Amino acid sequence: MDTINLTEKTDWAFIEQVKKKSGENPSLCYQCGNCTAGCPYTQYFDYPVSMVMRLLQAGQKDTILNSKAIWLCATCETCTTRCPCEVDVALIMEALRIIARREGRVSEKDIKLFNDSFLDSIKQYGRMFEMGILLGYKLRSGHLMGDAELGPPMMSKGKIHLIPKKIKGADEVAKIFTRFQEKAKQKVKKHG
Amino acid sequence: MRVGVFICHCGSNIAGTIDVAKVAAETRKIPGVAFATNYMYTCSEPGQKEITDAIAREHLDRIVVAACSPRMHENTFRKTIEKAGLNRYFLEMANIREHISWIGLDKELNTNKAIEEVAMAVSKAMQDKPLFSSSFKVNKRVVVIGGGVAGMQAALDCADGGLEVVMVEKSPAIGGMMARLDKTFPTIDCSICILGPKMVDVAQHDKIKLYAYSEIEEIKGYVGNYQIKIRKKAAYVDWTKCTGCGLCMEKCPTKNAYDYFNFGAAPTRAINIPFPQAIPKKAKIDPKYCRQFTKGKCGVCAKVCPTGAINYEQQDEIVTEDVGAIVVATGYGLLDQERLPEYGGGRYPDAITGIQYERILNASGPTSGHIIRPSDHEEPKTVVFVSCAGSRDKSVGVPYCSNFCCMYIAKQAILTKDHIPDSQSYVFYMDIRAPGKGYDEFTRRAQEEYGAKYIRGRVSRIYPKGKKMIVQGADTLLGTTVEVEADLVVLATAAIAADGAPQMAEKLHISYDTFGFYVESHPKLRPVETNTSGVFLAGACQGLKDIPASVTQGSAAAAKVLSLFSKDMLESDPAIAQVNNNACVGCLKCVKTCPFGAIVEDKLRDGRTVAKVIETVCAGCGVCTSTCPCGAIQLQHFTDNQLLAEVSTICQM
Amino acid sequence: MAETKYAYFCGCSLEGTAKEYDDSMRVVMKALGAELVEPDDWSCCGSSPAHTVDYDLASALAARNLAIVEKMGLPTITTPCPSCLIGFKKANRAMANEVFKKGVNELIDEPYNCSVEAKSSLQVIYEDIGLEAIASRVTHILPDLKVAPYYGCILNRPPELAHFDDPENPIAMDRILSTLGVDVRDFVFKTECCGAAFGVPKRKMVNELTYKVLSMALDAGANCIVVACPLCQQNLDLRQGQVNSLMGSNFNIPVLYFTQVMGLAYGHSPKELGIDKIFVSADHLIGRVTKEEYEKQKAQEAAAKKAPKAKATEETKTEET
């Protein structure tokens, strides 16, 4: 690891942004490591969650937003439940994830592709059309054969519908998305 | 009337945000003010000389000092003006520091407010009447509540100083927590070996009267003259006959009674002597478990007792002791494992607390000093110590550090290696707190000489897997989760206030903080005194501390008691309530509202009922004054007229 | 106290891959006397994917449904899916802030006024309806089941959001199952995450985490896992074959919904409860006897034990524990 010149490379604005977005104060964290100790995903993270907190305290925006950790967090709430300083760690991870997505920094492409397919399905039908989501994900990600062996038994047990069910208010749901995107655009215009 | 006003700069503390010269100038305009000035440090020697010189020179008869809080220097200035020949109660203080200059930075607003505060103080001062203390006798006996090491030290020092001491201990034997320890850090001295002689001294000292298995029932009175009711709890054994032979304990058929001394590390008999070196070495029956009490039939102990000491009909007894001072040394408690559900919440037999492990290590403990797993009695080879089990944890309600766990964990890790040479200890820690003499070196010793592996990180969870306990923690220095398969897990549970601490504080009329620890007069300068005269603190009840600090406070409290008793008479505070018999209608509302029970019903010679204030009990709180419907009872130095004069002044400004 | 009518949000999973959870939940609720009313034309709550986009989008998707329930005039929405539940609870929590609430209401057609409480269906059954009512409907005993109740990671955590049961050692399902007469094991991985919604994009990771849960269940001496979450059920059941292939194990542990077990205890047919829909077959464990039969059996066994014992205790003992 390179020397970090804290005087120059601490992104104070980023720390404030995360504080405001999540409503949590990273200074409360005394780096005990309890979150890392309980996190079932530590072995998959490039930075264990307590280290993400440390990087946040040190204002290391790029390292955090480019990390895999914030995408692999499942919001299982183990960290939040056990934190002795009562920091909602999962909420901070969520805030980081949201900021990363907004800035187009996605280190775990497949996860984003799956989420996008999911949300597209809701936008279109108002509910989750599982078949559509899976196909959409497979095509976008190129993982065509994943879970293929599950298909036939799912179908035979009637667990997967071939035809989507569109609710009456599907357009209401679609409007939620459009309005949200409009608002987001306005915010960017306002704050640059 | 010639009032003199002295406005203090307090360096830049006050002068920095208040224009003191302007305040002085405005004050001079008040009719009745003969002299007003400002000075750099009024409490200093030259500052005080300013006051005394001015009194003589300007013939002043009332003094106002506008400075810090009266809690700081009221006494100082009272002595000053007394030296200059004025009655001490002709002094008023206007708090322009804590109430004004320390609150806001706006100089204009602050100066205006200071002018108003000083004017109010002047109005009050002009109505001050001379007040004179009366003296009362001091009973030179002291009660020490708590028989742990701090209480014992206080008792011994007082007794050696010639005072009669009454010691009240709520458990059946003295010794407190220290008697339970195996060895003490950092010298690895055997705890009971160094404590035992002290315990014997206390028991045998001709000036110390020990009430063991007794509790404070009620405290009445005031400094120098307390009447204390003590409840001697029924042990169902006549201690005048019991020889401590232990035969009853051997033969008792109930083997599953909770062992308070061992903190439940192992069960005990329903009748028991807490530990072999117990003082007093007497048996007691726990009626919750004893078959004679729960089922009505047994009586084995009564049959085997060679002196016929068993008495199932024994009742609690109340005795009274009159003393002049109280030393509170009630110690501390430990967090229940139930509060730590992620560590099993007490359900796993092989996850035990530090004190339970201490008892297992102890050669006179439930396992005769053999370290064995509670589940299967096998010897553990991997022992994991978990620091901060509850301490420094806001979510459990214990945000503070428990002071001595880092040290005792190092000690226990060292002892584990001693007992089981092929064992491996792991210590999960967040920080190491080892500030005393030789303390840090001691923790290094555990790692360097005794091979204990210290892992920097908290433990998130402990769960059983087969015969092992899996400890899931973090090594933040390595940046990863770590797991240890432990045979035994020792949790350093948080130290908390002693059971019943708030109730004891209420009886003593002393303050306690959010956690139940008693509040000292001043955290830096007066650690063993309380704001209630005559009540002193010693040991962990004031704040968690280790043995040397507790012993120190025990001696310090004794010194305070001895200095309190160095005079035969004490002066009472005359700023207390007084009844004007001509105005009193005898409604006795004040008697009911007085929180100190200082007012009683009295009959005058003409048959009229009036209220009467017991001067020495009155604490000067003023509740009676505001209760009285006809203004007959007045708190001297804070009379209704004085307060109305202050209000009047400020309304006209 | 149990209300008689609950707004019931089954959620997207229960319409598809978790159909048997919905079927068995409806059977059980009916048996317990609770009326379930579906919010008209409900939409997907957004679940985890919406939370990765932004808070107001996630809240809006949830709030659209809460507004429907508000209009229905019902105070509680109950859902069997912990992910939907958390979506509703987080929306309620965030919208307690007036500014945020205004922003969310700008995204949806019908504004939501934060008057609907979200409760998990397990909580409704355990707390509102209660063990007495649950016990009273039992007609059959399932003697072959040795269950490890698995709650999943978000049903009871974090405690300040979930307001239900203990976050480290929840016991709602344990108690319900015990009340039914089922052998419940002490399962230490009750709240360990199984991999959640990463099943599709991160299959290997999910398989590895699921492996840990399955192993621990076996360690606890269980032959069946009982769940209250459709995602957990999927990971543990559908993907059990994948776990075996990846980790070289040979698990064959059926994963049932607690409502399926309840339904069986209440005498309903396995078909009604969708027992045939699960991947790892539970057929060999769901054998049952009527309560009367079971009690007769137990009495006979007890009598058989006492007979030889009585002979051995002819010599009187002193007062013994």
Side-chain angles (χ1 to χ4, degrees):
Chain A
M1 245 183 140
D2 281 341
T3 307
I4 304 176
N5 184 330
L6 288 174
T7 313
E8 289 178 16
K9 293 286 193 323
T10 306
D11 192 333
W12 300 105
F14 175 64
I15 303 176
E16 283 309 303
Q17 183 192 15
V18 177
K19 261 173 104 164
K20 211 163 151 242
K21 186 85 193 150
S22 65
E24 295 289 313
N25 182 359
S27 307
L28 292 174
C29 166
Y30 58 31
Q31 288 289 300
C32 67
N34 201 330
C35 47
T36 295
C39 176
Y41 297 84
T42 306
Q43 55 187 295
Y44 305 108
F45 283 9
D46 43 358
Y47 297 101
V49 55
S50 57
M51 207 165 280
V52 174
M53 289 298 292
R54 185 77 196 126
L55 288 163
L56 175 61
Q57 288 174 333
Q60 300 300 299
K61 176 174 175 176
D62 289 335
T63 318
I64 297 175
L65 296 185
N66 293 337
S67 71
K68 290 182 186 291
I70 58 178
W71 288 96
L72 293 174
C73 165
T75 318
C76 77
E77 305 281 354
T78 308
C79 49
T80 299
T81 305
R82 296 199 186 133
C83 176
C85 300
E86 296 186 326
V87 176
D88 194 336
V89 187
L91 197 59
I92 293 183
M93 290 294 267
E94 202 169 65
L96 293 170
R97 196 160 47 235
I98 291 173
I99 296 172
R101 188 185 197 277
R102 224 187 274 156
E103 297 201 6
R105 307 208 218 191
V106 183
S107 58
E108 286 286 331
K109 295 264 174 309
D110 287 346
I111 295 179
K112 180 169 182 294
L113 289 174
F114 179 75
N115 290 349
D116 285 346
S117 300
F118 192 104
L119 292 170
D120 283 345
S121 174
I122 303 178
K123 207 168 165 183
Q124 214 181 345
Y125 305 111
R127 284 188 202 169
M128 191 173 72
F129 172 41
E130 279 157 344
M131 200 63 186
I133 297 174
L134 284 169
L135 285 174
Y137 169 71
K138 283 175 193 290
L139 289 171
R140 285 188 222 192
S141 65
H143 300 305
L144 298 167
M145 292 315 292
D147 287 340
E149 80 278 15
L150 297 179
M154 295 264 267
M155 302 255 207
S156 68
K157 289 186 192 270
K159 285 188 154 207
I160 206 153
H161 304 292
L162 289 172
I163 305 169
K165 181 177 178 173
K166 190 167 173 171
I167 64 168
K168 283 184 271 167
D171 60 319
E172 285 171 34
V173 179
K175 263 192 270 172
I176 295 177
F177 282 90
T178 4
R179 286 179 190 142
F180 168 75
Q181 266 143 5
E182 261 308 307
K183 254 190 163 180
K185 269 196 223 134
Q186 298 285 348
K187 266 194 223 159
V188 171
K189 264 200 209 145
K190 224 168 114 183
H191 300 288
Chain B
M1 200 127 295
R2 296 180 63 77
V3 183
V5 181
F6 300 86
I7 300 157
C8 188
H9 290 225
C10 195
S12 63
N13 254 321
I14 294 176
T17 55
I18 294 182
D19 184 346
V20 287
K22 183 158 180 224
V23 178
E26 289 300 309
T27 307
R28 270 176 225 123
K29 298 184 191 154
I30 303 175
V33 172
F35 179 77
T37 186
N38 46 314
Y39 195 78
M40 192 62 85
Y41 293 106
T42 315
C43 56
S44 63
E45 231 189 290
Q48 291 187 45
K49 193 157 181 304
E50 270 271 322
I51 297 178
T52 48
D53 285 352
I55 291 174
R57 189 182 66 237
E58 308 283 336
H59 309 292
L60 304 171
D61 49 25
R62 296 288 187 276
I63 305 297
V64 170
V65 175
C68 50
S69 163
R71 278 169 165 261
M72 290 292 300
H73 289 308
E74 187 171 57
N75 265 331
T76 315
F77 293 124
R78 278 183 177 164
K79 283 196 207 129
T80 309
I81 70 171
E82 196 170 48
K83 267 192 236 146
L86 294 178
N87 182 283
R88 321 170 99 217
Y89 292 90
F90 285 164
L91 172 86
E92 288 299 327
M93 283 193 75
N95 184 348
I96 60 173
R97 190 181 74 171
E98 278 85 335
H99 283 189
I100 304 176
S101 76
W102 274 5
I103 299 174
L105 295 169
D106 186 322
K107 202 157 186 176
E108 204 188 313
L109 288 175
N110 283 357
T111 308
N112 285 341
K113 188 170 174 186
I115 294 170
E116 289 169 357
E117 282 270 353
V118 174
M120 281 165 71
V122 169
S123 308
K124 184 163 183 267
M126 292 209 275
Q127 297 212 22
D128 274 333
K129 298 212 177 17
L131 300 173
F132 303 93
S133 299
S134 42
S135 305
F136 55 94
K137 283 188 83 175
V138 165
N139 185 348
K140 295 189 187 178
R141 295 176 89 232
V142 60
V143 72
V144 176
I145 307 176
V149 71
M152 291 199 292
Q153 188 61 49
L156 288 169
D157 284 348
C158 285
D160 287 343
L163 304 178
E164 270 178 52
V165 181
V166 173
M167 177 177 273
V168 181
E169 165 56 51
K170 79 174 175 195
S171 58
I174 54 174
M177 289 302 268
M178 194 176 166
R180 292 161 161 102
L181 304 179
D182 178 29
K183 307 277 193 298
T184 55
F185 57 76
T187 48
I188 315 270
D189 264 311
C190 156
S191 186
I192 197 67
C193 305
I194 55 177
L195 187 67
K198 268 211 207 299
M199 287 163 66
V200 174
D201 282 347
V202 166
Q204 295 183 345
H205 205 296
D206 53 359
K207 285 216 178 296
I208 301 180
K209 194 170 178 184
L210 172 61
Y211 289 103
Y213 204 44
S214 303
E215 290 193 45
I216 301 287
E217 180 80 1
E218 186 188 62
I219 298 176
K220 273 204 155 99
Y222 51 95
V223 61
N225 290 279
Y226 290 108
Q227 293 84 45
I228 313 227
K229 280 213 182 94
I230 299 168
R231 176 181 292 272
K232 290 171 64 171
K233 299 186 284 195
Y236 307 105
V237 174
D238 185 344
W239 282 11
T240 60
K241 294 192 184 145
C242 175
T243 60
C245 68
L247 204 54
C248 52
M249 193 169 162
E250 236 181 282
K251 301 290 182 198
C252 174
T254 303
K255 299 181 187 153
N256 65 345
Y258 182 80
D259 189 339
Y260 292 97
F261 187 74
N262 283 325
F263 275 83
T268 185
R269 308 287 172 122
I271 185 168
N272 62 65
I273 295 168
F275 57 105
Q277 308 91 337
I279 286 174
K281 189 151 186 234
K282 308 283 178 192
K284 100 155 205 292
I285 296 180
D286 189 343
K288 270 208 293 266
Y289 297 95
C290 168
R291 288 175 201 206
Q292 185 64 34
F293 284 91
T294 56
K295 298 196 185 125
K297 51 180 177 157
C298 179
V300 171
C301 56
K303 287 188 206 125
V304 302
C305 176
T307 58
I310 311 292
N311 175 7
Y312 301 116
E313 317 300 321
Q314 196 179 64
Q315 301 289 319
D316 289 355
E317 203 192 313
I318 308 276
V319 296
T320 316
E321 290 283 352
D322 291 344
V323 296
I326 303 173
V327 174
V328 189
T330 46
Y332 65 97
L334 290 164
L335 188 75
D336 200 313
Q337 256 200 74
E338 244 184 57
R339 303 278 302 279
L340 305 168
E342 66 270 33
Y343 296 161
R347 289 179 299 133
Y348 304 136
D350 293 332
I352 59 178
T353 63
I355 193 72
Q356 289 174 329
Y357 191 53
E358 191 77 25
R359 293 307 300 154
I360 290 176
L361 285 166
N362 196 313
S364 44
T367 61
S368 304
H370 297 295
I371 305 179
I372 52 169
R373 283 155 45 99
S375 62
D376 55 13
H377 297 266
E378 281 184 23
E379 199 177 66
K381 296 290 179 209
T382 308
V383 181
V384 174
F385 295 88
V386 178
S387 309
C388 300
S391 308
R392 302 178 63 189
D393 193 331
K394 236 196 282 183
S395 66
V396 176
V398 182
Y400 55 79
C401 166
S402 289
N403 190 294
F404 37 69
C405 323
C406 285
M407 289 306 294
Y408 82 62
I409 287 178
K411 171 193 75 176
Q412 290 184 339
I414 289 175
L415 293 172
T416 307
K417 193 67 165 172
D418 252 356
H419 283 237
I420 311 174
D422 63 341
S423 64
Q424 177 62 53
S425 290
Y426 293 89
V427 176
F428 280 90
Y429 72 98
M430 285 201 277
D431 295 287
I432 301 290
R433 276 123 197 236
K437 243 201 309 204
Y439 281 24
D440 201 83
E441 297 91 309
F442 183 74
T443 60
R444 290 302 314 162
R445 224 177 130 197
Q447 298 171 67
E448 292 167 7
E449 285 177 44
Y450 288 83
K453 284 265 171 293
Y454 270 58
I455 304 172
R456 201 266 161 197
R458 224 164 183 270
V459 171
S460 177
R461 215 190 151 201
I462 298 171
Y463 59 90
K465 187 164 182 213
K467 283 176 76 170
K468 301 273 186 185
M469 291 295 292
I470 307 293
V471 178
Q472 204 181 329
D475 184 329
T476 61
L477 300 176
L478 281 179
T480 178
T481 316
V482 294
E483 261 181 29
V484 181
E485 290 175 32
D487 295 315
L488 185 66
V489 179
V490 179
L491 305 168
T493 47
I496 55 176
D499 217 12
Q503 289 78 5
M504 177 61 79
E506 307 268 332
K507 287 193 183 125
L508 293 159
H509 294 301
I510 59 176
S511 313
Y512 53 98
D513 64 17
T514 353
F515 308 111
F517 296 107
Y518 301 140
V519 178
E520 60 288 309
S521 279
H522 191 281
K524 291 286 197 190
L525 299 176
R526 299 168 68 188
V528 295
E529 298 160 79
T530 63
N531 281 335
T532 306
S533 339
V535 180
F536 303 98
L537 305 171
C541 64
Q542 179 263 339
L544 297 167
K545 51 180 67 73
D546 56 16
I547 295 166
S550 300
V551 170
T552 307
Q553 280 206 339
S555 292
K560 293 290 176 189
V561 172
L562 287 161
S563 99
L564 179 70
F565 291 173
S566 62
K567 306 185 250 306
D568 288 333
M569 305 282 274
L570 288 177
E571 274 186 2
S572 67
D573 185 348
I576 51 171
Q578 216 176 73
V579 180
N580 177 353
N581 286 341
N582 295 329
C584 177
V585 298
C587 72
L588 303 179
K589 282 204 177 113
C590 54
V591 176
K592 293 186 200 110
T593 49
C594 175
F596 298 91
I599 312 179
V600 292
E601 191 181 326
D602 192 30
K603 259 214 165 45
L604 296 178
R605 256 185 281 175
D606 62 5
R608 267 199 306 139
T609 304
V610 291
K612 182 168 144 190
V613 177
I614 305 175
E615 281 185 16
T616 42
V617 187
C618 174
C621 70
V623 171
C624 54
T625 311
S626 48
T627 306
C628 180
C630 32
I633 190 168
Q634 292 287 314
L635 179 60
Q636 299 306 296
H637 202 54
F638 296 93
T639 60
D640 285 345
N641 286 341
Q642 284 183 291
L643 299 180
L644 287 169
E646 288 184 295
V647 174
S648 204
T649 304
I650 196 153
C651 289
Q652 289 166 33
M653 293 190 87
Chain C
M1 260 304 287
E3 297 150 32
T4 43
K5 211 156 117 176
Y6 287 93
Y8 176 67
F9 186 88
C10 63
C12 304
S13 308
L14 271 76
E15 286 205 307
T17 44
K19 190 86 184 63
E20 59 272 26
Y21 194 11
D22 189 43
D23 291 342
S24 53
M25 178 65 75
R26 288 178 193 271
V27 164
V28 167
M29 284 294 204
K30 186 153 173 238
L32 293 169
E35 191 191 334
L36 301 174
V37 187
E38 267 189 63
D40 183 43
D41 209 38
W42 56 267
S43 52
C44 180
C45 70
S47 194
S48 334
H51 278 279
T52 62
V53 177
D54 215 335
Y55 299 130
D56 45 1
L57 177 69
S59 291
L61 290 169
R64 178 181 177 275
N65 295 294
L66 292 168
I68 298 174
V69 175
E70 215 169 42
K71 258 176 115 182
M72 286 161 79
L74 291 170
T76 315
I77 186 170
T78 181
T79 173
C81 172
S83 195
C84 303
L85 178 72
I86 274 253
F88 294 137
K89 282 186 185 272
K90 282 189 174 172
N92 273 335
R93 181 175 70 175
M95 288 173 80
N97 176 306
E98 285 301 322
V99 174
F100 185 77
K101 182 169 156 191
K102 192 159 158 287
V104 172
N105 280 335
E106 282 170 14
L107 298 176
I108 50 180
D109 280 350
E110 286 290 330
Y112 171 55
N113 205 18
C114 299
S115 70
V116 179
E117 193 194 350
K119 258 183 162 172
S120 89
S121 304
L122 174 62
Q123 189 173 15
V124 166
I125 292 174
Y126 180 64
E127 285 181 8
D128 293 7
I129 296 174
L131 291 174
E132 238 185 273
I134 293 169
S136 66
R137 308 281 193 292
V138 176
T139 54
H140 288 72
I141 304 288
L142 301 135
D144 301 322
L145 285 177
K146 295 185 187 32
V147 306
Y150 179 59
Y151 294 75
C153 58
I154 52 174
L155 185 57
N156 310 100
R157 312 189 307 186
E160 54 268 17
L161 190 65
H163 296 299
F164 172 38
D165 215 343
D166 185 87
E168 295 291 344
N169 184 28
I171 42 115
M173 269 199 289
D174 295 59
R175 291 265 163 88
I176 291 175
L177 294 166
S178 294
T179 304
L180 302 174
V182 174
D183 178 356
V184 180
R185 293 300 157 122
D186 193 9
F187 183 46
V188 293
F189 268 21
K190 279 178 178 172
T191 55
E192 291 291 304
C193 185
C194 66
F198 288 138
V200 173
K202 285 270 160 202
R203 202 203 85 185
K204 197 158 153 279
M205 184 171 85
V206 169
N207 289 158
E208 285 171 4
L209 290 167
T210 307
Y211 171 78
K212 290 194 190 151
V213 177
L214 291 165
S215 310
M216 259 323 200
L218 281 185
D219 263 13
N223 58 18
C224 167
I225 297 181
V226 172
V227 298
C229 169
L231 250 69
C232 297
Q233 205 277 345
Q234 246 172 270
N235 280 343
L236 293 167
D237 176 45
L238 259 73
R239 299 186 182 281
Q240 207 172 114
Q242 292 176 344
V243 172
N244 284 335
S245 310
L246 183 70
M247 306 299 289
S249 49
N250 57 353
F251 296 121
N252 186 35
I253 310 173
V255 184
L256 291 167
Y257 289 105
F258 77 97
T259 40
Q260 290 178 310
V261 181
M262 284 179 81
L264 288 169
Y266 290 173
H268 292 270
S269 71
K271 191 95 201 311
E272 250 184 292
L273 304 165
I275 305 276
D276 56 331
K277 291 214 158 71
I278 62 178
F279 270 42
V280 180
S281 168
D283 294 342
H284 58 294
L285 294 176
I286 57 169
R288 50 189 170 167
V289 290
T290 62
K291 227 168 113 185
E292 295 79 31
E293 262 293 319
Y294 186 72
E295 249 124 61
K296 237 198 317 187
Q297 268 176 24
K298 282 278 155 206
Q300 282 173 350
E301 281 171 22
K305 272 203 202 135
K306 264 206 184 133
K309 222 186 179 184
K311 284 201 189 130
T313 57
E314 287 287 58
E315 313 96 64
T316 45
K317 283 192 171 153
T318 48
E319 326 236 37
E320 238 297 43
T321 2

